[in-house]
Amino acid sequence: MVESTQDQYQFAYRFLRFISYLLLGGVIAQLFSCLSAYLFIGDTQAAGMVAHIVIQHLSYYILGCTFIVLSLANVLIKRGRHDLKTIRIPALMLILATSASSFLLIPRMDYLRETALLDGMPVALSPFANYFEILNGLAFILVATQIVCCGLLAWRLSKPRSS
């Protein structure tokens, strides 16, 4: 009997690599769109609102791609491809960072911004300014974590596999 030396999961690895590159491109696009909002819009409150909208809309894309990568990697791990265990932690961290920033922090910041505007002042001059700055700093840290996790995910999937 002749054994095939070709990897039977070659297409799955290529698909994982492709999705991880799309994911990294989406996160880099998110970074550049948020930076351009802050650079080209003179009002920092309006720029923050635009940046947060971009982050929230791209979070569905990021979560979907990460779920696909994690699911396919788990299937391949169950089939004996244990070299994919290294992408579990970055994928889970990416899901947690994206969910926390898009579904916890940004809606709270929007509420604080709307409350301040109802009182007739920007959020930087409201009594909630310190709390808003803390949330904004946490959101920035989580977006940076997304970039690091995505880069780590793409880097680990692009490394050559030992057979």
Side-chain angles (χ1 to χ4, degrees), residues 38-121:
Y38 279 107
L39 291 175
F40 295 127
I41 298 176
D43 184 17
T44 57
Q45 186 168 344
M49 292 168 69
V50 170
H52 291 159
I53 289 171
V54 168
I55 289 171
Q56 282 183 318
H57 284 294
L58 284 176
S59 68
Y60 298 115
Y61 168 76
I62 292 169
L63 287 173
C65 287
T66 308
F67 180 74
I68 290 170
V69 167
L70 191 60
S71 299
L72 187 58
N74 283 336
V75 167
L76 291 175
I77 289 169
K78 293 236 186 233
R79 292 185 182 179
R81 304 305 298 187
H82 299 289
D83 55 334
L84 290 175
K85 283 186 177 182
T86 59
I87 67 169
R88 280 181 171 169
I89 297 297
L92 289 174
M93 284 179 56
L94 181 61
I95 288 173
L96 289 176
T98 304
S99 300
S101 66
S102 296
F103 303 120
L104 294 177
L105 295 179
I106 292 176
R108 182 67 181 162
M109 291 166 52
D110 288 341
Y111 172 75
L112 292 175
R113 192 179 291 122
E114 289 174 10
T115 304
L117 288 175
L118 285 175
D119 291 339
M121 63 184 78

Side-chain angles (χ1 to χ4, degrees), residues 1-8:
M1 186 133 235
V2 177
E3 287 187 28
S4 174
T5 59
Q6 185 181 9
D7 188 14
Q8 62 181 344

